[in-house]
Amino acid sequence: ARGDLAPPVFDLPKSGSKQERWEWLRDKVLNCETCLANKNPNRHIVFGVGNLDADIFFCGEAPGDQEEQQGEPFVGPAGQKLNGMISGMGLSREDVYIGNIMNWRPRTEHSYGNRQPNPQEMDFCFPYLKAQVSIVRPKIVVALGNTAIQAMLGHDRSKAVGKIHGNWHEFEGIPMMPTFHPASILHNESKRAKRRVWEDLLKVMERLEMPISEKQRGFFL
């Protein structure tokens, strides 16, 4: 990682609409010197997108190749899986908010491939993620994958997704549901793998008192 990785300290504007405060934060992130120094050449910083009044805030790990090309989270193959999960809940991408722990794709020795961000990189970007949550104030945060879970729960390796998914936690005073990253389904397309994620999402729907059909309850059985 490049530049000063001391986590940024800033205060969100207290006045203004959600949209105005979000635009202030987005502008700050897109012009962050450390983010600019760490993004891959000729690629984009990736900031969250979606409904600022969303009940559900999906938080992923780090941008991939297609994300940093387009400057938007979850637009590659894993994003298509996430879109399918959201659709299965009876929602659209426009109904939710989607962000990442990281604002840039962690660099590798080559122009291809991904790596997990290290704790220092995660801790640097984390205040920007928290600020997005504070603007949206969703009813539930869904943490997608180990990196998101580790960042939110304090780098506690005992809280791996395989152990804690499906169990409620709390983040910034908001109920948080940890579950597997959609990319995990790309590597394991079995009904069992899909069902374990879907059962976590059913708990989210139940907590929000969303209508759930018998068909939905039976997905991937």
Side-chain angles (χ1 to χ4, degrees), residues 66-67 75-82 182-183 186:
Q66 293 186 41
E67 285 75 19
V75 293
Q80 297 304 310
K81 291 294 183 185
L82 178 60
L186 295 174

Side-chain angles (χ1 to χ4, degrees), residues 198 213-219:
W198 182 242
S213 67
E214 288 304 309
K215 180 179 180 181
Q216 287 173 308
R217 291 197 181 277
F219 283 168

Side-chain angles (χ1 to χ4, degrees), residues 48-64:
V49 297
N51 187 342
L52 298 183
D53 294 314
D55 287 340
I56 305 174
F57 188 121
F58 287 96
C59 180
E61 302 185 340

Side-chain angles (χ1 to χ4, degrees), residues 35-215:
C35 294
L36 289 169
N38 280 280
K39 75 178 183 68
N40 286 280
N42 303 315
R43 299 301 173 90
H44 298 285
I45 294 170
V46 179
F47 191 68
V49 297
N51 187 342
L52 298 183
D53 294 314
D55 287 340
I56 305 174
F57 188 121
F58 287 96
C59 180
E61 302 185 340
D65 178 63
Q66 293 186 41
E67 285 75 19
E68 68 171 0
Q69 287 187 49
Q70 299 185 40
E72 183 171 334
F74 285 96
V75 293
Q80 297 304 310
K81 291 294 183 185
L82 178 60
N83 290 346
M85 292 159 56
I86 293 169
S87 177
M89 300 172 76
L91 301 170
S92 70
R93 191 176 170 101
E94 290 71 29
D95 294 321
V96 302
Y97 192 90
I98 303 173
N100 276 320
I101 295 297
M102 296 295 301
N103 301 313
W104 67 80
R105 178 188 177 201
R107 292 194 184 197
T108 64
E109 294 180 0
H110 310 284
S111 61
Y112 54 87
N114 297 316
R115 69 165 173 85
Q116 294 289 328
N118 62 45
Q120 291 74 30
E121 291 170 321
M122 293 161 62
D123 289 346
F124 177 85
C125 291
F126 193 51
Y128 292 139
L129 183 279
K130 287 175 63 177
Q132 291 173 77
V133 172
S134 72
I135 291 172
V136 178
R137 294 306 299 174
K139 294 179 179 177
I140 290 176
V141 174
V142 178
L144 300 167
N146 274 320
T147 298
I149 293 167
Q150 292 295 304
M152 292 183 183
L153 299 182
H155 304 298
D156 185 347
R157 291 190 177 185
S158 69
K159 294 180 178 178
V161 62
K163 296 180 179 179
I164 70 168
H165 79 96
N167 296 305
W168 288 104
H169 289 72
E170 190 173 282
F171 175 68
E172 296 292 292
I174 299 169
M176 184 192 85
M177 173 57 67
T179 192
F180 294 86
H181 195 281
S184 68
I185 300 175
L186 295 174
H187 303 296
N188 182 358
E189 292 274 5
S190 70
K191 281 189 176 181
R192 181 180 179 183
K194 294 177 181 177
R195 180 67 191 184
R196 66 183 181 181
V197 175
W198 182 242
E199 287 180 353
D200 297 342
L201 297 181
L202 283 174
K203 292 179 180 179
V204 171
M205 295 173 70
E206 289 168 351
R207 186 136 185 174
L208 291 173
E209 298 182 345
M210 294 170 60
I212 305 175
S213 67
E214 288 304 309
K215 180 179 180 181

